[in-house]
Every structure is written in structure tokens, then in C-alpha cells.
Amino acid sequence: MPPIEVRKNIYWVGVVDWNIRDFHGYSTEKGSSYNNFLIMDDKVALFDTVKKPFRSEMFHNIRRVIDPSKIDYLIVNHVEMDHSGLVPEVIDAVNPERVFCSAKGKEALIEHFHRTDWPYEVVESGREISLGKRTVQFLETRMLHWPDSMFSYIKEDRLLISSDAFGQHWATTERFDDEVDEPELFRHAAKYFANILLPYSSLIQQLISNVTDMGLEIDMIACDHGLMWRKNPGKIIEAYDTWSRQQPKRKALIIYDTMWQSTETMARAIEDGLMQEGVSVKMMNLKFNHRSDVLAELLDAKAVIVGSPTLNNGMMPTVSDILTYIKGLRPKNKIGAAFGSYGWSGESVKLITKALEDMKIEVIDSGIKVKYVPDHEALHPCVDLGRKIGAAVNESVSG
Ligand code: FEO
């Protein structure tokens, strides 16, 4: 894909990755892109690189704008290797005057590439450098996504190069928000937030407040993955504000696996009870729903009800997987409970309940076990559990 001029003399020189389907556990079923940017000014600056296998394509894109040896500055906003993978090759080809990064960025670059001889220049939040006609202001954004992360704000263009923040894993030939279907774009952005940035919600709240305090005026957000935001960049900032507040809707998620449909039958009875209370329900059988799609739904759900039959004195591997994954992403303001069928030992409900408690989900019922196959009578308590959780959802969620 050719370079795109996103602002006068500012070029996208990245690559679209149509084939990636797994991003360390996140299902990227629509691919992704690695966006990096070249500013042509008195000093020529390259902002980040791309994933290593795309070396030829990235250099080809840069060459279509300028001879790479004419680049003066390399700015490393983020050291994760989807953005820094080609830093050594760029430094070899460019021999830059300076490599700008945060203090944590310098540490991480040395720990990744073991080169202490590069011309590092550490920058802190608020530091400005001039490229000639343009000024770059740096803003450290620790843990968004790694300790080294920072934004680069181009004052004269009101352009925020935002690293991982505001991105989406979505491969397209279009590069801007106004060129694609907006609801689909926001679905990808929400899934990305839920699976990558959710644990850092309080930092995002702080960041939004800092950006407001600094009075940064933003006409365009150039993120490192997916589509860039130029139609109304305020809309994705508002969405981040909403998502990071973690104020759930009147919605419940039933996540389960099943062996012989007993646990699934229980799930449907719980769904029945929740619906009687007017709560929106998403049923997610883990055989058919990827963990990262579960998290996208969990983002605005109040209740998470987890079911597994007992297998070998434990729970189904898919259920164990999703509990580990949810725990790492540290959702807040959720209530939950466990359910499941069993044959003789029946440990799964107890184990799931403990896992929910460990991740600080408020368990509002000790859970329901059914031996072998539930009959009509055995399903009554499941419906009651749904109603109990539904009532609790209604009590805690207004509007
Ligand atoms: Fe897209 Fe944290 O790397």
C-alpha cells in the first residue's frame, strides 16, 4: 500500500497486515495495520517503525517520499516490537542525528536491542523540539500500553500521534475514520480497548484530564493501528472516557462450556430468569466465541455468570482460559456467580466462584450445581438465579 499524505508534508509510511489472526491471544480476525509517520521539514523525522517482517514494504514507502539517509530524527513512541521491530535496520540505514524516546523507552530499547551506542535523547512530558516549521511536544503515557509509551503532538498541525491509544485491529485500504462504516469502526475500537487497555482505565482517566488541562487542540489522531481519526477526534476520546469509567449497562453475560448440554440447559434457564427482569443477555458458549470477543462484550456488562461442568475434578479448559484472561484485564464494577453440572465430585462451581472472588467480581450467590442432567424441577433454581442476578443488575444500573 502506498504512502499517504495525512497532512501537508506528513506521511503515513506504514503497512497493512491482512494476515495476522492472533495478537498474543487477541483474535484479530480482520487483520491489523502498523502505522508509522514521516514528517518532512528542515529536520526530517520518522515516528516509529513497523513489525520486522515488513521491512521491505516500510523502506519502499519511505523511499517513495525521501531517501531514508536524509532522515535526521527517529522518534520511538513505543518499544513493543510491532512498532520497534525495525529500529536497528532504520538506525543502520539512516544514521540518525538523534533517537528521541522516554527514559523508560531508552531502557527498553537497550534491553531489546542491546545497543548502548545509539544517539539517544531522553525526553520528558512537556518537552518540545523544533523540526523547523513544526514543533513536536512529547507527552509520556506510561502503561498505555507499556511503561515506555508516549504521544507526540505536532502543534502546528494539531495532530496527535497517539501510539497504541485509540487504535483498532482492522486491516483496510482506507486510512481514515470518515472512509469506513462508523459503527463497525467503533466495534473494533471497543474490542481493542477491552482487550488491551482495560487494566489501565484509571490512567486513561488521568490522561484525558491531563490533555484537557494542557489545552491540546486536536484536529487529527494518528494512532499506530487501524484507522486514523480526523472526522471528529473528540468522539473517540469521549468513547475512551466512557469505557475507562467502567460504568456498566443493564446487561449480563453468560459464559460457559458444556459437555452433554446439561450446563448449556442451565445457562438457558438462567438467561430466562435474567430476561424476566428485563436485562439484556449475551450467551457465549466458549466453543464458539473467542476470549477476545467475550471481553468486548464484557466491557459494558454488569453481570458475568460463568458455567462449566466438572471435568477431572476441575473445570473445562476453555473456562479456565477465560477466567485467567479476564483476571489479567482487571474489569471493575461487575457482579457474578457460577453454575455447572457434574457427575460425582462436582468441584467446578466452587472453583469458578473462587476465581471470580479473586478477580474482585462481587459474587452474589454461592452458585448452582446439578447432577448429570437437569429436569424441570432442577431448572427452577437456575431461573431463580437469573432473576436474582437480574434484580441486582437493575438495582445497580440506572438508566
Ligand atoms: Fe501496538 Fe503495545 O504495541
Side-chain angles (χ1 to χ4, degrees):
M1 184 162 163
I4 308 269
E5 191 171 25
V6 299
R7 279 286 206 244
K8 189 163 173 52
N9 289 326
I10 303 181
Y11 293 85
W12 174 90
V13 287
V15 296
V16 176
D17 186 348
W18 294 96
N19 296 333
I20 187 167
R21 289 293 178 271
D22 178 89
F23 208 112
H24 36 64
Y26 178 144
S27 163
T28 48
E29 73 279 1
K30 294 277 176 81
S32 190
S33 72
Y34 315 111
N35 303 334
N36 66 335
F37 304 94
L38 184 66
I39 298 190
M40 305 290 293
D41 206 320
D42 298 345
K43 293 290 185 186
V44 177
L46 180 68
F47 292 74
D48 287 314
T49 71
V50 302
K51 223 172 162 179
K52 198 168 180 176
F54 297 95
R55 178 186 187 283
S56 308
E57 197 171 335
M58 186 201 74
F59 274 107
H60 183 55
N61 273 348
I62 293 172
R63 274 192 205 99
R64 290 165 86 169
V65 182
I66 193 174
D67 176 348
S69 68
K70 295 198 164 51
I71 294 172
D72 299 290
Y73 296 158
L74 173 64
I75 286 105
V76 179
N77 278 329
H78 183 22
V79 183
E80 191 164 9
M81 283 194 275
D82 45 336
H83 311 293
S84 74
L86 287 171
V87 163
E89 283 80 357
V90 164
I91 292 179
D92 282 349
V94 166
N95 191 22
E97 206 176 301
R98 288 189 255 178
V99 175
F100 293 96
C101 55
S102 65
K104 288 284 178 194
K106 180 179 174 183
E107 275 178 42
L109 282 167
I110 291 171
E111 285 158 356
H112 276 71
F113 302 110
H114 313 288
R115 294 290 300 265
T116 52
D117 57 323
W118 288 344
Y120 299 103
E121 180 153 345
V122 168
V123 291
E124 291 166 356
S125 260
R127 166 82 186 276
E128 293 182 2
I129 60 167
S130 173
L131 300 180
K133 296 174 201 64
R134 291 184 180 77
T135 315
V136 184
Q137 184 176 29
F138 299 106
L139 176 61
E140 287 183 77
T141 56
R142 284 189 189 182
M143 299 317 297
L144 304 174
H145 166 227
W146 277 10
D148 53 83
S149 297
M150 62 180 192
F151 289 173
S152 297
Y153 176 65
I154 317 303
K155 277 185 159 179
E156 293 75 9
D157 295 275
R158 300 182 176 191
L159 167 68
L160 184 68
I161 299 177
S162 65
S163 193
D164 277 338
F166 310 117
Q168 331 89 48
H169 286 311
W170 189 16
T172 55
T173 51
E174 293 76 14
R175 294 268 41 92
F176 291 103
D177 53 349
D178 52 40
E179 299 172 322
V180 296
D181 179 63
E182 189 175 81
E184 184 170 7
L185 175 63
F186 273 86
R187 270 198 302 282
H188 287 295
K191 178 176 173 180
Y192 180 100
F193 182 95
N195 283 277
I196 297 175
L197 297 172
L198 189 65
Y200 312 117
S201 289
S202 58
L203 293 174
I204 289 167
Q205 282 292 306
Q206 187 60 53
L207 176 68
I208 290 171
S209 153
N210 289 350
V211 168
T212 308
D213 291 349
M214 288 167 78
L216 294 192
E217 292 177 277
I218 298 169
D219 286 349
M220 185 188 291
I221 297 175
C223 41
D224 277 1
H225 296 287
L227 286 296
M228 294 173 267
W229 307 86
R230 69 179 176 190
K231 182 180 164 192
N232 179 6
K235 197 163 176 179
I236 186 64
I237 296 173
E238 277 167 32
Y240 266 52
D241 185 32
T242 302
W243 296 331
S244 61
R245 285 177 195 278
Q246 297 202 42
Q247 290 171 336
K249 294 184 179 158
R250 202 182 298 274
K251 173 178 166 185
L253 212 55
I254 303 179
I255 309 169
Y256 64 96
D257 202 346
T258 191
M259 277 192 232
W260 297 103
Q261 277 58 60
S262 291
T263 299
E264 180 154 87
T265 304
M266 295 173 75
R268 290 189 181 279
I270 295 167
E271 175 197 26
D272 186 323
L274 284 158
M275 288 178 68
Q276 288 181 39
E277 294 296 322
V279 171
S280 173
V281 186
K282 289 279 178 191
M283 299 278 281
M284 302 196 90
N285 182 328
L286 293 166
K287 279 195 180 64
F288 310 113
N289 290 280
H290 192 271
R291 66 176 85 81
S292 53
D293 294 317
V294 172
L295 259 291
E297 290 293 347
L298 186 66
L299 182 60
D300 62 357
K302 177 65 188 174
V304 51
I305 306 137
V306 182
S308 174
T310 293
L311 174 70
N312 300 330
N313 304 108
M315 62 185 89
M316 296 280 277
T318 49
V319 179
S320 191
D321 175 289
I322 194 69
L323 291 171
T324 302
Y325 193 66
I326 296 173
K327 186 178 182 185
L329 290 163
R330 303 200 295 273
K332 291 192 171 75
N333 304 327
K334 309 291 183 200
I335 60 174
F339 66 99
S341 66
Y342 70 104
W344 48 99
S345 57
E347 290 92 343
S348 68
V349 168
K350 196 172 160 191
L351 292 170
I352 294 168
T353 301
K354 169 84 168 53
L356 293 174
E357 286 168 350
D358 286 349
M359 63 178 91
K360 308 218 171 359
I361 289 176
E362 185 191 348
V363 174
I364 64 162
D365 190 276
S366 56
I368 297 180
K369 293 198 297 188
V370 168
K371 194 165 187 189
Y372 287 121
V373 177
D375 60 8
H376 187 67
E377 288 306 310
L379 290 176
H380 282 311
C382 297
V383 175
D384 291 345
L385 176 64
R387 293 202 66 164
K388 180 178 176 181
I389 295 170
V393 169
N394 286 329
E395 202 174 303
S396 61
V397 176
S398 56

